[in-house]
Amino acid sequence: MQWLKDLFTQHSIAHTLILFSLVIAIGLSIGKFKYKGLTLGVTWILFAGLAFSWAGFTVDDHHLHFLKEFGLVLFVYAIGLQVGVGFFESLKKNALTTNLLAAGIVLAGVGTTLLLYKISGQSIAVMTGIMSGAVTNTPGLGAAQAALENVGGVANGKAMLTVAYALSYPFGVIGILLSILLLKWILGIDTEKEKERHRKLQVLRSGR
Protein backbone atom coordinates (compact mmCIF):
# COMPACT_ATOMS: atom_id res chain seq x y z
CA MET A 1 0.00 0.00 0.00
CA GLN A 2 3.03 2.24 -0.31
CA TRP A 3 1.69 3.61 -3.59
CA LEU A 4 -1.43 4.84 -1.82
CA LYS A 5 0.64 6.58 0.85
CA ASP A 6 2.86 8.17 -1.81
CA LEU A 7 -0.24 9.37 -3.65
CA PHE A 8 -1.16 11.55 -0.68
CA THR A 9 2.33 12.55 0.43
CA GLN A 10 4.51 12.83 -2.70
CA HIS A 11 4.04 15.78 -5.04
CA SER A 12 2.68 14.80 -8.44
CA ILE A 13 -0.14 15.74 -10.80
CA ALA A 14 -2.27 12.91 -9.42
CA HIS A 15 -1.54 14.05 -5.85
CA THR A 16 -2.63 17.61 -6.67
CA LEU A 17 -5.82 16.53 -8.44
CA ILE A 18 -6.82 14.18 -5.63
CA LEU A 19 -6.30 16.81 -2.94
CA PHE A 20 -8.23 19.46 -4.86
CA SER A 21 -11.02 16.98 -5.63
CA LEU A 22 -11.30 15.94 -1.99
CA VAL A 23 -11.36 19.54 -0.76
CA ILE A 24 -14.05 20.50 -3.27
CA ALA A 25 -16.13 17.36 -2.66
CA ILE A 26 -16.01 17.72 1.13
CA GLY A 27 -16.77 21.43 0.97
CA LEU A 28 -19.74 20.98 -1.35
CA SER A 29 -21.10 18.11 0.76
CA ILE A 30 -20.99 20.12 3.99
CA GLY A 31 -22.42 23.14 2.16
CA LYS A 32 -25.65 21.24 1.51
CA PHE A 33 -26.56 21.33 5.19
CA LYS A 34 -28.79 24.22 6.23
CA TYR A 35 -29.69 25.71 9.58
CA LYS A 36 -32.95 27.66 9.64
CA GLY A 37 -32.69 28.07 5.89
CA LEU A 38 -29.14 29.44 6.06
CA THR A 39 -26.00 27.86 4.69
CA LEU A 40 -22.49 29.00 3.82
CA GLY A 41 -22.68 27.00 0.59
CA VAL A 42 -19.47 26.85 -1.42
CA THR A 43 -17.63 28.80 1.30
CA TRP A 44 -17.16 25.45 3.02
CA ILE A 45 -14.67 24.60 0.27
CA LEU A 46 -12.41 27.31 1.68
CA PHE A 47 -12.81 25.87 5.19
CA ALA A 48 -12.03 22.39 3.88
CA GLY A 49 -8.91 23.73 2.18
CA LEU A 50 -7.81 25.40 5.42
CA ALA A 51 -8.33 22.12 7.29
CA PHE A 52 -6.24 20.17 4.77
CA SER A 53 -3.50 22.79 4.93
CA TRP A 54 -3.55 22.68 8.74
CA ALA A 55 -3.20 18.90 8.55
CA GLY A 56 0.04 19.37 6.60
CA PHE A 57 -1.05 18.60 3.04
CA THR A 58 0.77 20.61 0.37
CA VAL A 59 0.88 20.64 -3.43
CA ASP A 60 3.56 21.44 -5.97
CA ASP A 61 3.98 25.21 -6.51
CA HIS A 62 3.86 24.90 -10.32
CA HIS A 63 0.64 22.86 -10.21
CA LEU A 64 -0.84 25.30 -7.70
CA HIS A 65 -0.01 28.30 -9.89
CA PHE A 66 -1.61 26.69 -12.96
CA LEU A 67 -4.78 25.66 -11.11
CA LYS A 68 -5.06 29.08 -9.47
CA GLU A 69 -4.87 30.93 -12.78
CA PHE A 70 -7.05 28.41 -14.61
CA GLY A 71 -9.63 28.45 -11.83
CA LEU A 72 -9.74 32.25 -11.85
CA VAL A 73 -10.31 32.26 -15.61
CA LEU A 74 -13.14 29.73 -15.26
CA PHE A 75 -14.66 31.76 -12.42
CA VAL A 76 -14.71 35.00 -14.39
CA TYR A 77 -15.96 33.17 -17.50
CA ALA A 78 -18.81 31.54 -15.56
CA ILE A 79 -19.83 34.86 -13.99
CA GLY A 80 -19.81 36.44 -17.45
CA LEU A 81 -22.12 33.75 -18.80
CA GLN A 82 -24.42 34.09 -15.83
CA VAL A 83 -24.87 37.86 -15.77
CA GLY A 84 -23.83 38.79 -19.30
CA VAL A 85 -27.28 38.10 -20.75
CA GLY A 86 -28.95 40.88 -18.80
CA PHE A 87 -25.93 43.16 -18.35
CA PHE A 88 -26.59 45.57 -21.21
CA GLU A 89 -30.32 45.44 -20.60
CA SER A 90 -29.74 46.46 -16.97
CA LEU A 91 -27.76 49.50 -18.14
CA LYS A 92 -30.96 50.89 -19.61
CA LYS A 93 -32.62 50.85 -16.21
CA ASN A 94 -31.12 52.92 -13.39
CA ALA A 95 -27.65 52.46 -14.88
CA LEU A 96 -26.22 55.65 -13.38
CA THR A 97 -27.56 54.97 -9.88
CA THR A 98 -26.45 51.35 -9.91
CA ASN A 99 -22.94 52.13 -11.11
CA LEU A 100 -22.54 54.99 -8.65
CA LEU A 101 -23.60 52.73 -5.79
CA ALA A 102 -21.17 50.02 -6.95
CA ALA A 103 -18.32 52.52 -7.27
CA GLY A 104 -19.19 53.98 -3.88
CA ILE A 105 -19.03 50.57 -2.21
CA VAL A 106 -15.64 49.82 -3.79
CA LEU A 107 -14.21 53.22 -2.85
CA ALA A 108 -15.54 52.90 0.69
CA GLY A 109 -13.81 49.54 1.01
CA VAL A 110 -10.53 50.91 -0.33
CA GLY A 111 -10.77 53.99 1.91
CA THR A 112 -11.45 51.89 5.00
CA THR A 113 -8.54 49.61 4.14
CA LEU A 114 -6.13 52.53 3.72
CA LEU A 115 -7.31 54.03 7.01
CA LEU A 116 -6.78 50.76 8.88
CA TYR A 117 -3.41 50.39 7.14
CA LYS A 118 -2.28 53.72 8.57
CA ILE A 119 -3.67 52.97 12.03
CA SER A 120 -2.63 49.32 12.41
CA GLY A 121 0.84 49.51 10.89
CA GLN A 122 0.29 46.22 9.05
CA SER A 123 1.83 45.69 5.63
CA ILE A 124 -0.21 46.69 2.59
CA ALA A 125 -0.16 43.05 1.45
CA VAL A 126 -1.92 41.95 4.64
CA MET A 127 -4.47 44.77 4.44
CA THR A 128 -5.19 44.05 0.77
CA GLY A 129 -5.77 40.39 1.63
CA ILE A 130 -8.13 41.39 4.43
CA MET A 131 -10.04 43.71 2.10
CA SER A 132 -10.38 41.01 -0.58
CA GLY A 133 -11.57 38.46 1.96
CA ALA A 134 -13.91 40.85 3.77
CA VAL A 135 -15.81 41.57 0.54
CA THR A 136 -15.42 37.93 -0.64
CA ASN A 137 -13.66 39.15 -3.78
CA THR A 138 -11.59 36.23 -5.08
CA PRO A 139 -10.69 37.95 -8.40
CA GLY A 140 -9.47 40.86 -6.28
CA LEU A 141 -7.12 38.47 -4.51
CA GLY A 142 -5.77 37.25 -7.86
CA ALA A 143 -5.25 40.82 -9.04
CA ALA A 144 -3.47 41.72 -5.81
CA GLN A 145 -1.17 38.72 -6.11
CA ALA A 146 -0.32 39.63 -9.69
CA ALA A 147 0.34 43.25 -8.70
CA LEU A 148 2.60 42.11 -5.87
CA GLU A 149 4.59 39.98 -8.30
CA ASN A 150 4.93 42.88 -10.74
CA VAL A 151 6.40 45.17 -8.09
CA GLY A 152 8.81 42.47 -6.95
CA GLY A 153 6.95 41.37 -3.85
CA VAL A 154 8.67 38.69 -1.79
CA ALA A 155 7.21 35.22 -1.37
CA ASN A 156 6.40 35.98 2.27
CA GLY A 157 4.29 38.94 1.15
CA LYS A 158 2.23 36.72 -1.16
CA ALA A 159 1.83 34.16 1.61
CA MET A 160 0.62 36.80 4.09
CA LEU A 161 -1.75 38.19 1.45
CA THR A 162 -3.35 34.78 1.00
CA VAL A 163 -3.49 34.03 4.73
CA ALA A 164 -5.13 37.40 5.44
CA TYR A 165 -7.69 36.71 2.71
CA ALA A 166 -8.45 33.23 4.07
CA LEU A 167 -8.88 34.51 7.62
CA SER A 168 -11.16 37.41 6.74
CA TYR A 169 -13.27 35.62 4.11
CA PRO A 170 -15.41 33.63 6.60
CA PHE A 171 -16.15 36.81 8.56
CA GLY A 172 -17.15 38.51 5.31
CA VAL A 173 -19.66 35.76 4.53
CA ILE A 174 -21.00 35.49 8.08
CA GLY A 175 -21.14 39.28 8.39
CA ILE A 176 -23.32 39.54 5.28
CA LEU A 177 -25.70 36.88 6.60
CA LEU A 178 -25.94 38.53 10.03
CA SER A 179 -26.50 41.95 8.45
CA ILE A 180 -29.33 40.60 6.30
CA LEU A 181 -30.95 38.90 9.29
CA LEU A 182 -30.60 42.07 11.38
CA LEU A 183 -32.12 44.27 8.68
CA LYS A 184 -34.89 41.74 8.16
CA TRP A 185 -35.70 41.86 11.88
CA ILE A 186 -35.46 45.67 12.16
CA LEU A 187 -37.63 46.31 9.10
CA GLY A 188 -40.05 43.52 9.93
CA ILE A 189 -39.72 41.89 6.52
CA ASP A 190 -41.66 38.69 5.85
CA THR A 191 -39.67 36.72 3.27
CA GLU A 192 -42.63 34.68 2.06
CA LYS A 193 -44.78 37.78 1.53
CA GLU A 194 -41.96 39.47 -0.37
CA LYS A 195 -41.56 36.41 -2.60
CA GLU A 196 -45.27 36.48 -3.38
CA ARG A 197 -45.15 40.21 -4.18
CA HIS A 198 -42.16 39.67 -6.44
CA ARG A 199 -43.97 36.84 -8.24
CA LYS A 200 -47.04 39.02 -8.80
CA LEU A 201 -44.86 41.88 -10.04
CA GLN A 202 -43.15 39.58 -12.52
CA VAL A 203 -46.55 38.40 -13.78
CA LEU A 204 -47.73 41.99 -14.26
CA ARG A 205 -44.55 42.95 -16.11
CA SER A 206 -44.82 39.98 -18.42
CA GLY A 207 -48.43 40.92 -19.22
CA ARG A 208 -49.76 37.48 -18.47
Side-chain angles (χ1 to χ4, degrees):
M1 299 296 289
Q2 182 63 34
W3 66 271
L4 184 59
K5 179 181 178 181
D6 292 341
L7 193 59
F8 284 91
T9 57
Q10 302 298 320
H11 286 174
S12 65
I13 295 177
H15 165 81
T16 301
L17 291 176
I18 286 177
L19 283 186
F20 270 75
S21 298
L22 283 174
V23 167
I24 293 172
I26 292 172
L28 289 177
S29 299
I30 299 176
K32 292 181 180 179
F33 293 98
K34 294 183 178 181
Y35 177 72
K36 293 185 178 180
L38 296 177
T39 177
L40 296 182
V42 295
T43 305
W44 281 109
I45 297 176
L46 174 63
F47 294 151
L50 291 173
F52 270 68
S53 179
W54 173 80
F57 289 98
T58 59
V59 296
D60 181 78
D61 289 339
H62 297 290
H63 300 161
L64 182 61
H65 177 74
F66 169 77
L67 288 173
K68 181 187 71 175
E69 298 299 329
F70 183 64
L72 183 60
V73 170
L74 285 181
F75 175 80
V76 175
Y77 174 70
I79 293 297
L81 286 181
Q82 183 178 359
V83 304
V85 177
F87 175 75
F88 292 102
E89 184 65 26
S90 66
L91 293 179
K92 300 177 182 178
K93 303 174 182 178
N94 302 321
L96 180 60
T97 303
T98 303
N99 282 283
L100 287 176
L101 285 173
I105 292 171
V106 173
L107 291 175
V110 173
T112 303
T113 302
L114 291 175
L115 179 62
L116 292 176
Y117 165 67
K118 295 292 185 181
I119 296 175
S120 66
Q122 292 289 340
S123 69
I124 193 63
V126 170
M127 296 308 303
T128 304
I130 291 175
M131 181 185 72
S132 299
V135 297
T136 63
N137 190 347
T138 304
L141 172 66
Q145 290 175 330
L148 195 62
E149 287 181 355
N150 291 335
V151 298
V154 295
N156 183 55
K158 287 186 63 179
M160 291 304 297
L161 175 69
T162 307
V163 170
Y165 166 84
L167 289 175
S168 60
Y169 190 101
F171 293 100
V173 174
I174 295 172
I176 292 172
L177 292 176
L178 292 178
S179 299
I180 292 174
L181 290 175
L182 181 61
L183 288 172
K184 179 181 175 182
W185 177 71
I186 292 175
L187 300 175
I189 295 175
D190 187 323
T191 306
E192 294 303 320
K193 288 183 179 179
E194 293 299 323
K195 286 182 179 179
E196 181 61 22
R197 288 177 182 174
H198 180 70
R199 187 190 66 80
K200 290 179 179 178
L201 182 60
Q202 290 298 104
V203 171
L204 289 174
R205 285 179 175 176
S206 63
R208 295 177 183 175

